[in-house]
Amino acid sequence: MTVTVVRIGNIEVGEFPLLLAPMEDVSDPPFRAVCKEKGADLMYTEFISAEGLIRDADKSVQKLDIYDYERPIGIQIFGDKIESMREAASIAEEANPEIIDINYGCPVKKVACKGAGAGILLDLPKMQKMTEEIVKRVDKPVTVKTRLGWDDQTIKIDEVAKRLQDVGIQALTIHGRTRKQMYKGTADWSYIAEVKNLPDIHIPIFGNGDIDSPEKALEYKNKYGVDGIMIGRAAIGYPWIFDEIKYFMKTGEYLPAPSLSERVDITKRHLEFSISWKGEKLGIFEMRRHYTNYFRGIPNFKPFRMRLVENDNPDDVRLVLDEILQVFGQMEMV
C-alpha cells in the first residue's frame, strides 16, 4: 500500500497532518512545546503585526522566537499594506521558520475593519497582489489561512483558492465561518470540501473550525476529504487532543483520558517553558490564563485556581500544583 505524505513545498508534514492554529496570546513557544509533545505535526506562531516588525516593536519581535523542537513551524504575519507585508515577510524569514503564513482570517474589529486579516476578503485583487509580492520576496513556502468570506453574501472561497494558488502559495487553511460569524454558530465545511474537490486545485487544503473530539476529526476527514485538520480552541488546556485523534484514526479506539497526575505534570512543564522563555515574573503571569483550562471539570476548584493566579513565586506555584494532586488525586477526571 502506497503511503501519501502531505507536502507544503518541500516540507513533509505527515500523511494526515494535525496543525496547531495560530491563536493570539495562546500559541506562544511554551504552549507550542506541550502541543508538539502531544502530537501536533505543524504549528504556527501567534499572528504578528507587519507594522510591528518593521518598527522593531519588542512585542512583535519576540513573537519571532522559535526553537528546534518545534519544527516544522510557520511564522504568521498580518497587515493591510502590501509593502509592509513584503518587508515583514523578509524579517520573518530571517528567523528561519519552515513556512511563512499570511493571516487573511482574523475577524477582530481592530484588524479586519482596517483591511487586514479577514478584511481583505472584501478586496480579492489586493489579496492576490499582496500574496504574490510576498511569494516573490521570500524563498520559504508561503501558506495562507482565511475564512469563507466577509459574510454569507460574499463567500467566494473557490475564487480565493484559485487566485492564491495561481500566485504561488503552497497550502491553504480555511476556517469554515465568515467574518460576520466571528466564532459563533457552526463552521460549514461543505465550502472547504468544494475547494478541495476543484479539479484545478493541487495544493493541500486544510480544514479548521469546531474540531473538538477524535470522532469528529475522523468524520470530517472522511466526509470532506481535506488533506489535514487545524485545531485551535480545543487544544487550549488539552494538548492531548492531537495524540487522541491520531490514535482514534489508527485504531478506532480511544486513548484513556489524561489522569490528574498527567494534567499536573503537563502544567508544570508548561510553566517551566514559560519561565524559561519570558523570565520568572512574566512567565508566571502569562501562565495564569491556562490553569482553568488544564483543570476543567474539577468541582470546587476555585480556591486552588485563585492561589495559582495570585502567586508570584514559582516554588509556591509548584507546591499548589502538588497539593492539587494530593487533594483531588483519587477523583476521576471529567
Side-chain angles (χ1 to χ4, degrees), residues 41-90:
D41 295 302
L42 172 64
M43 304 184 294
Y44 289 93
T45 64
E46 303 171 74
F47 73 165
I48 307 175
S49 163
E51 300 298 332
L53 286 182
I54 293 169
R55 296 195 310 269
D56 203 28
D58 290 344
K59 184 176 181 180
S60 295
V61 172
Q62 189 170 40
K63 290 181 179 180
L64 292 174
D65 288 352
I66 55 177
Y67 298 89
D68 285 341
Y69 60 73
E70 301 181 88
R71 298 184 186 282
I73 188 165
I75 291 177
Q76 188 186 76
I77 58 174
F78 77 96
D80 65 310
K81 298 179 177 64
I82 293 176
E83 182 55 35
S84 296
M85 287 288 280
R86 290 175 72 244
E87 291 184 40
S90 292

Side-chain angles (χ1 to χ4, degrees), residues 25-26 28 236 285-293 309:
D25 294 327
V26 176
D28 59 12
I236 300 175
F285 177 79
E286 296 204 348
M287 187 65 191
R288 291 173 180 170
R289 65 173 65 100
H290 294 282
Y291 295 127
T292 296
N293 295 304
V309 300

Side-chain angles (χ1 to χ4, degrees), residues 214 238 240-241 244 247 253-263 296 331-334:
Y238 205 83
W240 297 273
I241 192 169
E244 288 182 359
Y247 189 80
E253 300 176 355
Y254 295 94
L255 282 174
S259 66
L260 182 60
S261 177
E262 291 175 295
R263 290 179 183 248
R296 188 184 298 117
M331 182 180 298
E332 183 177 349
M333 296 303 297
V334 177

Side-chain angles (χ1 to χ4, degrees), residues 1 12 79 85 99 108 121 277 282 291:
M1 181 177 176
E12 294 187 357
M85 287 288 280
I99 293 163
V108 177
L121 289 165
W277 182 51
L282 193 54
Y291 295 127

Side-chain angles (χ1 to χ4, degrees), residues 260 264 267-268 271 291 295 301-328:
L260 182 60
V264 169
T267 305
K268 285 182 176 179
L271 174 65
Y291 295 127
F295 298 108
F301 186 73
K302 184 176 179 180
F304 290 90
R305 181 179 64 83
M306 295 305 296
R307 289 169 61 191
L308 288 170
V309 300
E310 291 172 356
N311 228 307
D312 294 327
N313 185 297
D315 290 331
D316 290 341
V317 173
R318 296 182 190 105
L319 287 173
V320 176
L321 291 170
D322 289 338
E323 187 178 344
I324 290 169
L325 186 57
Q326 292 170 3
V327 172
F328 298 102

